[in-house]
Amino acid sequence: MVDFNRFTLANGLRVLVHEDDTTPMAVLNILYDVGARDEEAGRTGFAHLFEHLMFGGSVNIPSYDEPLQRVGGENNAFTSNDITNYYITLPAVNLETAFWLESDRMLSLAFSEKSLETQRNVVCEEFKQRYLNQPYGDVWLKLRPLAYTTHPYRWATIGQDLAQIENAKMEDVKAFFKKHYNPQNAIMVVGGNVKTEAVKALAEKWFAAIPAGEKYLRNLPAEPAQTEERKERLTADVPLNAIYMAFKMPARKDRDYQVYDLMSDVLSQGQSSRLYNSLLKEQQLFSDIHAYITSSIDEGLFVIEGKLVEGVSMDTAENAIWKELDKLTEEPVTDEEITKVKNKSESIMVFAEMNLLDKAMNLAYYELLGDAAGLNTEIDKYLAVSPQRILQAAKKTFVKTQCSTLYYLTVKDA
């Protein structure tokens, strides 16, 4: 159970406070309700680029890291297709430094051509290293537009291609900041050795004067139902052939989200899972195989990916995967299987409650979903999943006309 208090400033900034006097530390986490799905086709990668720009200094504080390091603090951030999240951890006695830094860059981020050029180069280099020059690195640049035809999930967080980042202009950056980086589009969580009243006083002091900005109303195009099988072949200088199969799954707030999460665990969590036992251990078709979900706020993906053992044909490997999926559609999972994956989910959530930063980030995310209190009831949704619900979800999902398959071939097997 993660206890918290909540208040909202007049400018719309939502603030959650988790008091924990067992630690001398504090964390300030700010989640901005903006991700790659809020970009436009042809002008993508901005949410991630902006994450980098936020560390380029503000009008009043040229160096973001220097004052934080002087008070023993650390910081980082991440961007996804749905959110952008920034966090600071530091000794609780120095909490006001975090408020000062975060409020100043929310109010007056420095927009300089030098900073834009520097961060644009950093992101371009990241694009090259992680997505273009790494084996299998461009999988999501190919799989997303194969699985999605309309929704902005069709591009990766890094962007559709390198040129769109290289061509980012200052006016584009300023417009993005004005649209998304304002109090009413943010959720702040403060946790650790803090008191709610003191946090409220700091929030009023440092954030209350920031203008609320215009409310961003998200109106994204819905992804049409997939009615035919999609396939694409890709050849690259990689050591092993690989296969990636993607199926649509319900959005994060759908009542069946937990069903799909547990179903992916039945297939590939641990060495007693179905895919590992059958396809890797017994039949020795794969050197590596996994099933997982994207956990997207809108309609997400249920993905199965595997690297084939050398000499195994793609048809053989693909047919073997379908046989395992067909089993899920034909008979319920066993009580032993569902108990195992439920226990694992419960332990993961318990361990997350032991880490101050994890608690802060989770509170912010569940508040974005509708209510931070949902963090404390999430495990009940997992425990309520029955074998019959998994069977129904499998029947509805694992259909060939709803599958998008990417075949990743080595040069010699192309």
Side-chain angles (χ1 to χ4, degrees):
M1 175 70 74
V2 181
D3 296 320
F4 65 93
N5 298 310
R6 177 197 283 116
F7 61 88
T8 303
L9 300 184
N11 58 13
L13 178 66
R14 286 175 278 175
V15 184
L16 307 179
V17 185
H18 167 64
E19 300 180 5
D20 180 1
D21 60 8
T22 66
T23 174
M25 303 299 289
V27 58
L28 188 152
N29 187 91
I30 296 187
L31 182 155
Y32 287 92
D33 184 11
V34 57
R37 65 175 175 159
D38 298 301
E39 300 162 347
E40 302 173 17
R43 301 171 71 187
T44 64
F46 273 66
H48 178 246
L49 173 61
F50 219 90
E51 175 205 321
H52 285 259
L53 286 170
M54 284 286 277
F55 292 96
S58 57
V59 172
N60 302 306
I61 309 170
S63 171
Y64 180 88
D65 289 326
E66 187 179 326
L68 187 59
Q69 291 169 354
R70 284 204 301 266
V71 297
E74 297 179 346
N75 70 88
N76 214 327
F78 64 86
T79 310
S80 73
N81 284 73
D82 294 316
I83 65 171
T84 309
N85 193 85
Y86 302 84
Y87 57 88
I88 293 174
T89 57
L90 75 177
V93 293
N94 297 325
L95 179 61
E96 189 162 7
T97 298
F99 273 84
W100 169 57
L101 288 168
E102 288 298 331
S103 64
D104 198 68
R105 66 178 178 178
M106 182 188 286
L107 174 66
S108 51
L109 188 68
F111 292 104
S112 69
E113 289 291 350
K114 180 181 178 181
S115 176
L116 176 57
E117 181 66 20
T118 298
Q119 299 306 328
R120 190 166 46 204
N121 289 339
V122 169
V123 173
C124 286
E125 192 60 32
E126 179 183 343
F127 197 114
K128 293 173 186 175
Q129 288 185 4
R130 290 182 57 190
Y131 296 86
L132 301 183
N133 300 332
Q134 185 171 296
Y136 314 103
D138 60 348
V139 163
W140 284 99
L141 300 180
K142 304 294 184 180
L143 188 58
R144 281 190 175 276
L146 185 63
Y148 293 99
T149 63
T150 306
H151 191 283
Y153 284 160
R154 66 185 185 274
W155 53 79
T157 304
I158 195 74
Q160 287 176 305
D161 58 59
L162 195 57
Q164 293 178 32
I165 301 167
E166 292 173 333
N167 294 330
K169 301 293 190 294
M170 180 61 73
E171 56 266 28
D172 299 327
V173 168
K174 287 184 175 180
F176 192 89
F177 181 79
K178 182 179 180 181
K179 184 176 183 179
H180 299 290
Y181 279 74
N182 57 60
Q184 61 182 334
N185 205 43
I187 299 168
M188 180 165 70
V189 178
V190 181
N193 197 353
V194 300
K195 296 298 181 185
T196 300
E197 287 307 310
V199 170
K200 191 170 185 177
L202 288 172
E204 291 282 357
K205 175 181 177 180
W206 291 104
F207 284 89
I210 300 176
E214 294 182 22
K215 181 63 177 175
Y216 165 58
L217 299 176
R218 186 176 282 111
N219 184 25
L220 304 180
E223 180 68 20
Q226 185 171 336
T227 57
E228 60 182 13
E229 195 172 9
R230 299 173 188 159
K231 297 184 177 185
E232 183 176 339
R233 291 182 179 270
L234 178 68
T235 302
D237 185 15
V238 292
L240 295 169
N241 290 334
I243 185 171
Y244 301 82
M245 300 166 64
F247 303 85
K248 301 295 192 320
M249 63 163 284
R252 181 60 181 81
K253 290 195 283 187
D254 190 277
R255 71 176 295 272
D256 280 338
Y257 166 81
Q258 292 78 16
V259 175
Y260 284 79
D261 197 9
L262 290 177
M263 187 160 61
S264 71
D265 288 345
V266 167
L267 283 174
S268 80
Q269 186 188 79
Q271 296 185 7
S272 62
S273 62
R274 292 190 177 192
L275 295 182
Y276 184 93
N277 254 333
S278 175
L279 307 188
L280 193 148
K281 187 177 176 182
E282 294 174 7
Q283 300 182 57
Q284 299 182 6
L285 301 175
F286 290 86
S287 62
D288 184 62
I289 190 161
H290 302 281
Y292 55 89
I293 61 175
T294 57
S295 299
S296 306
I297 287 182
D298 294 331
E299 186 182 45
L301 296 178
F302 188 108
V303 180
I304 297 166
E305 66 169 61
K307 294 182 176 64
L308 283 62
V309 169
E310 192 167 1
V312 173
S313 74
M314 190 65 77
D315 285 345
T316 299
E318 184 177 9
N319 289 335
I321 292 175
W322 274 110
K323 283 182 181 178
E324 291 302 319
L325 297 181
D326 288 342
K327 289 178 185 177
L328 276 177
T329 70
E330 292 164 356
E331 57 185 47
V333 299
T334 66
D335 290 337
E336 181 183 357
E337 284 178 306
I338 199 166
T339 298
K340 183 194 76 170
V341 295
K342 284 181 179 180
N343 288 343
K344 184 64 175 179
S345 295
E346 191 167 18
S347 68
I348 289 172
M349 292 179 196
V350 169
F351 280 121
E353 290 186 9
M354 300 173 67
N355 182 285
L356 182 59
L357 178 57
D358 285 348
K359 286 189 284 188
M361 290 194 293
N362 285 334
L363 283 171
Y365 184 68
Y366 278 85
E367 183 71 7
L368 178 67
L369 293 179
D371 185 357
L375 173 60
N376 294 321
T377 59
E378 180 72 10
I379 189 56
D380 297 333
K381 296 178 180 178
Y382 280 86
L383 297 178
V385 174
S386 65
Q388 193 62 33
R389 287 178 66 191
I390 291 180
L391 179 66
Q392 291 169 352
K395 284 179 179 291
K396 182 171 64 176
T397 304
F398 299 133
V399 180
K400 288 196 175 182
T401 54
Q402 296 173 191
C403 182
S404 299
T405 307
L406 178 66
Y407 304 100
Y408 211 113
L409 304 173
T410 65
V411 174
K412 68 183 182 65
D413 288 320

mmCIF file of all heavy atoms in Angstrom, residues 284-303:
data_model
loop_
_atom_site.group_PDB
_atom_site.id
_atom_site.type_symbol
_atom_site.label_atom_id
_atom_site.label_comp_id
_atom_site.label_asym_id
_atom_site.label_seq_id
_atom_site.Cartn_x
_atom_site.Cartn_y
_atom_site.Cartn_z
ATOM 1 N N GLN A 284 14.369 -27.138 -29.829
ATOM 2 C CA GLN A 284 15.621 -26.442 -30.162
ATOM 3 C C GLN A 284 15.539 -25.699 -31.494
ATOM 4 O O GLN A 284 16.440 -25.754 -32.323
ATOM 5 C CB GLN A 284 16.779 -27.443 -30.166
ATOM 6 C CG GLN A 284 16.989 -28.101 -28.808
ATOM 7 C CD GLN A 284 18.172 -29.059 -28.784
ATOM 8 O OE1 GLN A 284 18.924 -29.166 -29.748
ATOM 9 N NE2 GLN A 284 18.344 -29.762 -27.675
ATOM 10 N N LEU A 285 14.430 -24.992 -31.654
ATOM 11 C CA LEU A 285 14.224 -24.192 -32.864
ATOM 12 C C LEU A 285 14.745 -22.763 -32.695
ATOM 13 O O LEU A 285 15.108 -22.113 -33.682
ATOM 14 C CB LEU A 285 12.737 -24.154 -33.215
ATOM 15 C CG LEU A 285 12.055 -25.490 -33.475
ATOM 16 C CD1 LEU A 285 10.557 -25.288 -33.698
ATOM 17 C CD2 LEU A 285 12.692 -26.186 -34.673
ATOM 18 N N PHE A 286 14.752 -22.289 -31.471
ATOM 19 C CA PHE A 286 15.135 -20.911 -31.191
ATOM 20 C C PHE A 286 16.279 -20.861 -30.191
ATOM 21 O O PHE A 286 16.357 -21.686 -29.271
ATOM 22 C CB PHE A 286 13.946 -20.124 -30.609
ATOM 23 C CG PHE A 286 12.841 -19.857 -31.592
ATOM 24 C CD1 PHE A 286 11.838 -20.789 -31.803
ATOM 25 C CD2 PHE A 286 12.810 -18.673 -32.313
ATOM 26 C CE1 PHE A 286 10.816 -20.550 -32.701
ATOM 27 C CE2 PHE A 286 11.799 -18.417 -33.221
ATOM 28 C CZ PHE A 286 10.793 -19.362 -33.423
ATOM 29 N N SER A 287 17.145 -19.883 -30.356
ATOM 30 C CA SER A 287 18.185 -19.629 -29.358
ATOM 31 C C SER A 287 17.693 -18.636 -28.314
ATOM 32 O O SER A 287 18.266 -18.519 -27.232
ATOM 33 C CB SER A 287 19.441 -19.068 -30.044
ATOM 34 O OG SER A 287 19.149 -17.829 -30.675
ATOM 35 N N ASP A 288 16.593 -17.943 -28.662
ATOM 36 C CA ASP A 288 16.065 -16.914 -27.777
ATOM 37 C C ASP A 288 14.628 -16.636 -28.222
ATOM 38 O O ASP A 288 14.381 -16.470 -29.415
ATOM 39 C CB ASP A 288 16.927 -15.646 -27.926
ATOM 40 C CG ASP A 288 16.528 -14.539 -26.982
ATOM 41 O OD1 ASP A 288 16.629 -14.757 -25.773
ATOM 42 O OD2 ASP A 288 16.120 -13.468 -27.465
ATOM 43 N N ILE A 289 13.685 -16.608 -27.273
ATOM 44 C CA ILE A 289 12.297 -16.326 -27.653
ATOM 45 C C ILE A 289 11.559 -15.686 -26.485
ATOM 46 O O ILE A 289 11.752 -16.067 -25.328
ATOM 47 C CB ILE A 289 11.562 -17.592 -28.152
ATOM 48 C CG1 ILE A 289 10.213 -17.213 -28.755
ATOM 49 C CG2 ILE A 289 11.437 -18.644 -27.056
ATOM 50 C CD1 ILE A 289 9.624 -18.267 -29.660
ATOM 51 N N HIS A 290 10.740 -14.687 -26.804
ATOM 52 C CA HIS A 290 10.026 -13.937 -25.768
ATOM 53 C C HIS A 290 8.634 -13.539 -26.261
ATOM 54 O O HIS A 290 8.421 -13.361 -27.464
ATOM 55 C CB HIS A 290 10.778 -12.656 -25.396
ATOM 56 C CG HIS A 290 12.166 -12.892 -24.899
ATOM 57 N ND1 HIS A 290 12.445 -13.305 -23.627
ATOM 58 C CD2 HIS A 290 13.359 -12.771 -25.535
ATOM 59 C CE1 HIS A 290 13.750 -13.434 -23.479
ATOM 60 N NE2 HIS A 290 14.327 -13.120 -24.621
ATOM 61 N N ALA A 291 7.733 -13.369 -25.320
ATOM 62 C CA ALA A 291 6.422 -12.767 -25.580
ATOM 63 C C ALA A 291 6.251 -11.639 -24.584
ATOM 64 O O ALA A 291 6.577 -11.789 -23.403
ATOM 65 C CB ALA A 291 5.311 -13.794 -25.419
ATOM 66 N N TYR A 292 5.762 -10.497 -25.055
ATOM 67 C CA TYR A 292 5.599 -9.353 -24.161
ATOM 68 C C TYR A 292 4.561 -8.401 -24.745
ATOM 69 O O TYR A 292 4.141 -8.541 -25.908
ATOM 70 C CB TYR A 292 6.924 -8.621 -23.950
ATOM 71 C CG TYR A 292 7.598 -8.174 -25.234
ATOM 72 C CD1 TYR A 292 7.329 -6.938 -25.800
ATOM 73 C CD2 TYR A 292 8.505 -9.010 -25.883
ATOM 74 C CE1 TYR A 292 7.945 -6.532 -26.970
ATOM 75 C CE2 TYR A 292 9.116 -8.627 -27.060
ATOM 76 C CZ TYR A 292 8.844 -7.379 -27.593
ATOM 77 O OH TYR A 292 9.441 -6.988 -28.770
ATOM 78 N N ILE A 293 4.149 -7.439 -23.928
ATOM 79 C CA ILE A 293 3.164 -6.456 -24.377
ATOM 80 C C ILE A 293 3.785 -5.066 -24.307
ATOM 81 O O ILE A 293 4.722 -4.829 -23.547
ATOM 82 C CB ILE A 293 1.875 -6.513 -23.532
ATOM 83 C CG1 ILE A 293 2.179 -6.198 -22.067
ATOM 84 C CG2 ILE A 293 1.219 -7.884 -23.663
ATOM 85 C CD1 ILE A 293 0.949 -6.119 -21.178
ATOM 86 N N THR A 294 3.238 -4.141 -25.111
ATOM 87 C CA THR A 294 3.792 -2.784 -25.129
ATOM 88 C C THR A 294 3.216 -1.888 -24.041
ATOM 89 O O THR A 294 3.739 -0.804 -23.801
ATOM 90 C CB THR A 294 3.558 -2.120 -26.498
ATOM 91 O OG1 THR A 294 2.147 -2.113 -26.791
ATOM 92 C CG2 THR A 294 4.306 -2.849 -27.596
ATOM 93 N N SER A 295 2.133 -2.314 -23.382
ATOM 94 C CA SER A 295 1.520 -1.539 -22.291
ATOM 95 C C SER A 295 1.164 -0.122 -22.711
ATOM 96 O O SER A 295 1.284 0.827 -21.932
ATOM 97 C CB SER A 295 2.456 -1.503 -21.067
ATOM 98 O OG SER A 295 2.696 -2.795 -20.578
ATOM 99 N N SER A 296 0.726 0.040 -23.937
ATOM 100 C CA SER A 296 0.398 1.365 -24.467
ATOM 101 C C SER A 296 -0.917 1.881 -23.885
ATOM 102 O O SER A 296 -1.817 1.107 -23.573
ATOM 103 C CB SER A 296 0.280 1.302 -25.989
ATOM 104 O OG SER A 296 1.449 0.740 -26.550
ATOM 105 N N ILE A 297 -1.009 3.197 -23.746
ATOM 106 C CA ILE A 297 -2.236 3.797 -23.227
ATOM 107 C C ILE A 297 -3.386 3.583 -24.210
ATOM 108 O O ILE A 297 -4.512 3.275 -23.809
ATOM 109 C CB ILE A 297 -2.026 5.293 -22.922
ATOM 110 C CG1 ILE A 297 -1.162 5.429 -21.653
ATOM 111 C CG2 ILE A 297 -3.358 6.014 -22.735
ATOM 112 C CD1 ILE A 297 -0.922 6.846 -21.202
ATOM 113 N N ASP A 298 -3.117 3.732 -25.510
ATOM 114 C CA ASP A 298 -4.113 3.387 -26.520
ATOM 115 C C ASP A 298 -3.894 1.918 -26.909
ATOM 116 O O ASP A 298 -3.081 1.227 -26.306
ATOM 117 C CB ASP A 298 -3.986 4.309 -27.734
ATOM 118 C CG ASP A 298 -4.326 5.761 -27.389
ATOM 119 O OD1 ASP A 298 -5.128 5.982 -26.468
ATOM 120 O OD2 ASP A 298 -3.767 6.669 -28.040
ATOM 121 N N GLU A 299 -4.622 1.449 -27.931
ATOM 122 C CA GLU A 299 -4.511 0.052 -28.325
ATOM 123 C C GLU A 299 -3.056 -0.343 -28.565
ATOM 124 O O GLU A 299 -2.354 0.261 -29.363
ATOM 125 C CB GLU A 299 -5.327 -0.171 -29.609
ATOM 126 C CG GLU A 299 -5.408 -1.617 -30.039
ATOM 127 C CD GLU A 299 -6.183 -1.793 -31.319
ATOM 128 O OE1 GLU A 299 -5.952 -1.003 -32.270
ATOM 129 O OE2 GLU A 299 -7.024 -2.712 -31.391
ATOM 130 N N GLY A 300 -2.607 -1.369 -27.831
ATOM 131 C CA GLY A 300 -1.205 -1.746 -27.880
ATOM 132 C C GLY A 300 -0.929 -2.982 -28.693
ATOM 133 O O GLY A 300 -1.767 -3.431 -29.486
ATOM 134 N N LEU A 301 0.260 -3.544 -28.480
ATOM 135 C CA LEU A 301 0.685 -4.721 -29.218
ATOM 136 C C LEU A 301 1.097 -5.840 -28.272
ATOM 137 O O LEU A 301 1.737 -5.605 -27.247
ATOM 138 C CB LEU A 301 1.872 -4.395 -30.131
ATOM 139 C CG LEU A 301 1.643 -3.406 -31.268
ATOM 140 C CD1 LEU A 301 2.946 -3.177 -32.019
ATOM 141 C CD2 LEU A 301 0.546 -3.884 -32.216
ATOM 142 N N PHE A 302 0.707 -7.050 -28.665
ATOM 143 C CA PHE A 302 1.179 -8.277 -28.042
ATOM 144 C C PHE A 302 2.212 -8.844 -29.009
ATOM 145 O O PHE A 302 1.886 -9.170 -30.143
ATOM 146 C CB PHE A 302 0.012 -9.251 -27.844
ATOM 147 C CG PHE A 302 0.346 -10.468 -27.043
ATOM 148 C CD1 PHE A 302 -0.131 -10.613 -25.751
ATOM 149 C CD2 PHE A 302 1.122 -11.491 -27.574
ATOM 150 C CE1 PHE A 302 0.165 -11.754 -24.998
ATOM 151 C CE2 PHE A 302 1.424 -12.629 -26.832
ATOM 152 C CZ PHE A 302 0.944 -12.757 -25.538
ATOM 153 N N VAL A 303 3.456 -8.935 -28.562
ATOM 154 C CA VAL A 303 4.556 -9.258 -29.475
ATOM 155 C C VAL A 303 5.230 -10.571 -29.088
ATOM 156 O O VAL A 303 5.467 -10.837 -27.908
ATOM 157 C CB VAL A 303 5.607 -8.130 -29.474
ATOM 158 C CG1 VAL A 303 6.757 -8.450 -30.432
ATOM 159 C CG2 VAL A 303 4.957 -6.802 -29.853
#
